[in-house]
């Protein structure tokens, strides 16, 4: 239990440490990250579809 | 006299450069040769058996592809002194960081399982039971890593890299026709026209050339070795030589199977080794030894890539230069990843084919993200300064990355929906 608490607090600490992206969010960076989000979203949808159809 | 003085001066200069290279060489050579892992050997063996020498020209094209992607990790590691996982967390925030880290953990573990499958299959040819292979590999890798020095680990890994060249004498032993290799292999052609089977094999060859773990491994390796900005030039040369060797080994495998097993159905490299044994015992044995070595090299690098990444993010000591007492979690995570992956091939009826397909699918979720982050990070002039990508580097690397993303995505989708492209 103690280890789990320590682990959770470590995750929180990491989240706080890296809360703000350091890279300058230029139009190019924002666009790339947006495209990446869409790409991954579509890929996850395809995987879910495959999983459901296999079941 | 003046002539000899100039000659002596030039010799001294060249010798100094060679000595400097030998000090810095390592991360590029190891990552590139380990790229020819068990899955890679299977792909090349299948390519040769199916299309003979006809796709050698395509393999040659993979030299710049591998080099341009991996050299960026050398610059990034040497300038930021951070591994790829830490660089993603810091630059893009916790969301993208966790996504990359968790995805890396899955891909690495699944790939590690395929390395163990390759190693156990290779040694089974010599009558060694799978459980003995797994125990030996885990013990051997633990001993290599636990020595407490990056330098020693790297030199041992380079020794295994040397063994990967076993396919070169094997290729000479099959007495291939040089005229056929040049005539069929070096002139770009698509044997049998462009069809689904050829497309799948081309995608598999690209997929095995650039894997997500390679980006994380080389950058962390550069940091652990302590390379500085001044070492970038030699680090790039190291990567370039490595990319040539990795493709050369792939070509020699294609020559072996293209000469002796042309037209034979090859599902994995172990089957190819068994079939080769019937033709020539030594060549079959070379193939099996090479497959074992490839799996071992892949396992050495992949398990370290995960442990380095976790150490960077969780703030654990995470260097091969530390003792177990100083970096317990680094070594524990290394051992757990290794041991759990090693157990899987021993489970009767384990879904190994499904795992192999799953590797391709999960890798497709991580590779594009890792590559996009790499290019964005290399364009961060505030951090990279004079080592940021130039316009030409951006054009070349973006073209390569877009090509890899498209082809690896199609490869992943074809693994999910095998009938889609038929």
């Amino acid at each position: 239990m103690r280890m789990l608490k320590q682990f959770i607090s470590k995750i929180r600490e990491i989240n706080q440490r890296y809360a703000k992206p350091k890279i300058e969010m230029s139009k190019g960076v924002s666009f790339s990250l947006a495209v990446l989000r869409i790409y991954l979203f579509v890929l996850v949808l395809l995987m879910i579809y495959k999983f459901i159809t296999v079941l | 006299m003046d002539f000899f003085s100039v000659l002596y001066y030039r010799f001294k200069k060249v010798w100094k450069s060679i000595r400097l290279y030998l000090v810095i060489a390592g991360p590029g050579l190891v990552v590139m040769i380990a790229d020819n892992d068990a899955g890679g050997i299977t792909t090349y063996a299948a390519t040769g058996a199916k299309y003979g020498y006809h796709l050698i020209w395509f393999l040659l094209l993979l030299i710049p592809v591998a080099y341009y992607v991996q050299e960026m990790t050398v610059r990034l590691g040497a300038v930021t002194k951070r591994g790829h996982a830490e660089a993603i967390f810091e630059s893009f925030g916790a969301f993208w960081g966790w996504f990359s880290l968790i995805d890396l953990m899955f891909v690495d573990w699944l790939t590690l399982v395929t390395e163990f499958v390759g190693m156990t299959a290779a040694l089974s040819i010599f009558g060694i039971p799978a459980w003995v292979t797994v125990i030996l590999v885990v013990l051997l890798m633990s001993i290599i890593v636990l020595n407490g020095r990056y330098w020693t680990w790297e030199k041992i890994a380079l020794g295994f890299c040397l063994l990967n060249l076993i396919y070169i004498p094997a290729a000479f032993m099959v007495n291939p026709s040089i005229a056929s290799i040049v005539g069929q292999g070096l002139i770009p052609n698509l044997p049998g026209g462009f069809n689904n089977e050829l497309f799948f094999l081309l995608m598999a060859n690209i997929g095995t050339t650039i894997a997500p773990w390679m980006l994380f491994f080389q950058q962390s390796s550069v940091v652990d070795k302590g390379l500085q900005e001044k070492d970038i030039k030699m680090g790039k040369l190291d990567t370039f030589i490595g990319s040539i060797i990795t493709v050369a080994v792939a070509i020699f495998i294609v020559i072996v199977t293209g000469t002796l097993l042309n037209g034979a159905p090859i599902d994995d490299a172990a089957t190819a080794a068994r079939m080769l044994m019937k033709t020539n015992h030594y060549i079959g044995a070379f193939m099996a030894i090479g497959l074992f070595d490839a799996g071992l090299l892949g396992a050495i690098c992949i398990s370290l890539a995960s442990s380095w990444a976790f150490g960077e993010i969780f703030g654990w000591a995470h260097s091969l230069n530390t003792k177990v007492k100083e970096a317990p979690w680094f070594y524990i995570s290394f051992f757990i990843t290794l041991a759990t992956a090693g157990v899987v091939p021993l489970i009767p009826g384990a879904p190994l084919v499904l795992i192999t397909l799953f590797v391709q699918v999960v890798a497709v979720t991580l590779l594009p993200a890792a590559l996009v982050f790499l290019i964005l990070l290399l364009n961060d002039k505030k951090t990279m300064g004079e080592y940021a990508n130039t316009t030409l580097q951006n054009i070349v690397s973006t073209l390569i990355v877009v090509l890899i993303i498209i082809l690896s995505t199609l490869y992943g989708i074809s693994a999910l929906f095998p009938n889609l492209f038929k």
Side-chain angles (χ1 to χ4, degrees), chain B residues 109-121 130 134 267-268 340-360:
Chain B
W109 189 81
L110 290 167
T111 315
L112 209 50
V113 172
T114 65
E115 307 299 354
F116 272 103
V117 171
M119 285 187 280
T120 51
V134 170
D267 289 329
D268 57 80
T340 51
V343 165
V344 177
L346 302 180
I347 301 170
L352 300 178
V353 176
L354 195 70
I355 287 173
T356 310
L357 286 176
F358 203 54
V359 171
Q360 293 159 10

Side-chain angles (χ1 to χ4, degrees), chain B residues 3-4 11 36 64 88 107 117 148 173 178-179 182 232 264 296 311 339 389:
Chain B
F3 169 76
F4 286 110
F11 170 76
N36 284 340
I88 293 172
V107 181
V117 171
M173 283 164 74
I178 304 295
V182 174
I232 287 176
L296 188 68
N389 268 2

Side-chain angles (χ1 to χ4, degrees), chain B residues 56 74 91 113 123 174 198 205 264 332 383 397 415:
Chain B
I56 288 177
V74 177
S91 296
V113 172
L123 290 196
V174 300
L198 176 66
N205 276 287
I332 287 171
T383 311
S397 55

Side-chain angles (χ1 to χ4, degrees), chain B residues 94-148:
Chain B
F95 170 78
W96 287 114
W98 285 118
F99 163 78
S100 304
L101 190 67
I102 294 167
D103 221 354
L104 177 75
M105 185 186 75
F106 271 115
V107 181
D108 280 2
W109 189 81
L110 290 167
T111 315
L112 209 50
V113 172
T114 65
E115 307 299 354
F116 272 103
V117 171
M119 285 187 280
T120 51
L123 290 196
S124 73
I125 293 170
F126 302 110
I128 298 172
W131 65 271
V132 175
T133 306
V134 170
I135 291 173
L136 278 178
V137 168
V138 173
L139 275 176
L140 180 68
M141 284 180 55
S142 301
I143 292 167
I144 295 170
V145 163
L146 290 175
N147 73 74

